[in-house]
Amino acid sequence: MARTDDDSWDVTESVGATALAVAMARANETVSETPLFTDPYAQMFLDAAAARGWRPPTGAMAQRIRAIGNYAASRTKWFDEFFLAAGAAGIRQSVILAAGLDARAWRLPWIHDSVVFEIDQPQVLQFKEEVLTSHRVTPKARHVAVPVDLRQDWPKALRDAGFDASEPTAWSVEGLLPYLPADAQDLLFERITELSARDSRIAVEAFTAGFFSEDHLAQRRERIAQMRAEAAEAGDDLPDPERLWFVEDRAHVPDWLNEHCWDVGALPADDLMARYHRSLPADTTEGTMSTEFVEGVLLEK
């Protein structure tokens, strides 16, 4: 299913299905011998999706999810720590953009009077709410779902839901940017900055500066084509991520944020995984990930 500027999806299709892939990775990490975190709700989402007719990936796709498991676990742990640190600093208002099947509002130890706003496609948030309600699971902070497409006027929807722009906010942008056109990425950060009070914090999973170089994109496409060919020989179908991503040259996130009053630092994905004593198989995307983890504080506006 190729992307268009105004497409939408349920949790079992297009971009929505990637949330289930992430849930698989979190479920696998939860039952591993030495998990970086526990997410007991991930398996609930998988079981509910299966009851709706969704079938877990097999063959090459299942292998791919397992191969990047250490990356997915490290990413989850880093964002978990971001929210815990924000709470320790007294920030009580958080916004999770493109929340998907994220369950942080239910599993993290939020400080008293915290509110967590989750923004995503209406059908995705509805699915999550139905599953957790059916299991009688309650959030550990005040949870507010904001069902709106991030390419639409989500700031208005967020304010209408009770968001207070005068209070510092912790913002997370996890697993989102590849699914936005370059112009929409700029607009996203412009809106975040406009809505942020001084001392707000932001955490972003971003592309590295060299991701969109011709050499890197050519190498990446060659590697993906090889993986898809190997999968086809085995009778498996490995989706092409570029059918879901907007592979367009775009602003380098740390530079953009620095130019707009955010004090930021960036940590390459390989260094992040090393922090948690994790690594990727040598044959996975050339043994490295072309992403970095960006964290910042708004100094002034």
Side-chain angles (χ1 to χ4, degrees):
M1 182 176 174
R3 299 298 311 284
T4 61
D5 288 342
D6 59 353
D7 54 349
S8 62
W9 50 84
D10 198 346
V11 74
T12 59
E13 60 187 11
S14 185
V15 178
T18 66
L20 289 169
V22 174
M24 285 185 64
R26 289 177 174 166
N28 291 339
E29 179 69 15
T30 297
V31 298
S32 66
E33 292 185 2
T34 56
L36 290 178
F37 61 88
T38 56
D39 184 350
Y41 312 110
Q43 189 61 50
M44 294 180 187
F45 299 136
L46 299 177
D47 293 343
R52 293 189 177 194
W54 173 77
R55 292 294 175 263
T58 58
M61 188 59 186
Q63 292 175 5
R64 173 67 176 167
I65 293 173
R66 286 192 293 270
I68 65 171
N70 281 339
Y71 174 81
S74 299
R75 181 179 77 172
T76 298
K77 180 66 171 178
W78 185 79
F79 278 97
D80 283 357
E81 291 179 340
F82 164 76
F83 282 116
L84 294 176
I91 296 178
R92 288 177 164 78
Q93 180 172 254
S94 299
V95 179
I96 301 177
L97 299 160
L101 299 179
D102 182 293
R104 289 188 175 94
W106 289 264
R107 65 181 182 81
L108 292 186
W110 299 90
I111 62 173
H112 180 64
D113 287 340
S114 290
V115 55
V116 179
F117 296 92
E118 289 194 327
I119 301 177
D120 210 325
Q121 292 273 346
Q123 295 178 83
V124 174
L125 293 181
Q126 181 180 356
F127 170 83
K128 176 159 64 176
E129 182 178 356
E130 290 175 352
V131 172
L132 294 174
T133 298
S134 70
H135 286 272
R136 297 181 180 179
V137 177
T138 57
K140 292 182 171 62
R142 184 164 67 89
H143 171 256
V144 181
V146 185
V148 62
D149 193 304
L150 284 166
R151 293 164 296 181
Q152 299 171 355
D153 189 2
W154 61 266
K156 180 181 184 303
L158 185 60
R159 285 192 177 100
D160 290 347
F163 176 83
D164 185 353
S166 69
E167 292 292 325
T169 304
W171 302 88
S172 69
V173 183
E174 178 184 8
L176 167 59
L177 298 187
Y179 305 100
L180 292 178
D183 290 346
Q185 174 179 305
D186 289 344
L187 181 59
L188 178 81
F189 288 120
E190 288 170 7
R191 287 171 162 175
I192 289 173
T193 302
E194 290 171 359
L195 290 167
S196 295
R198 184 185 177 94
D199 295 327
S200 290
R201 299 188 178 199
I202 190 170
V204 187
E205 178 191 20
F207 293 111
T208 59
F211 181 90
F212 293 100
S213 69
E214 292 184 7
D215 287 345
H216 178 265
L217 288 178
Q219 293 174 3
R220 184 175 181 276
R221 290 181 179 122
E222 180 179 354
R223 177 60 180 152
I224 290 174
Q226 178 184 350
M227 293 170 62
R228 297 189 73 202
E230 292 173 354
E233 289 180 2
D236 298 325
D237 178 33
L238 185 65
D240 184 348
E242 291 191 14
R243 290 180 61 83
L244 298 179
W245 287 15
F246 287 94
V247 183
E248 304 171 357
D249 193 11
R250 60 189 65 207
H252 184 220
V253 172
D255 292 343
W256 193 100
L257 291 173
N258 270 321
E259 293 167 1
H260 292 79
C261 303
W262 294 86
D263 180 27
V264 305
L267 183 67
D270 291 347
D271 292 347
L272 177 69
M273 286 186 287
R275 172 188 292 180
Y276 300 125
H277 306 289
R278 299 296 181 95
S279 62
L280 289 173
D283 61 348
T284 303
T285 59
E286 297 79 47
T288 188
M289 295 293 287
S290 298
T291 55
E292 58 188 350
F293 291 82
V294 183
E295 188 170 2
V297 178
L298 186 63
L299 301 179
E300 58 183 355
K301 294 172 68 173

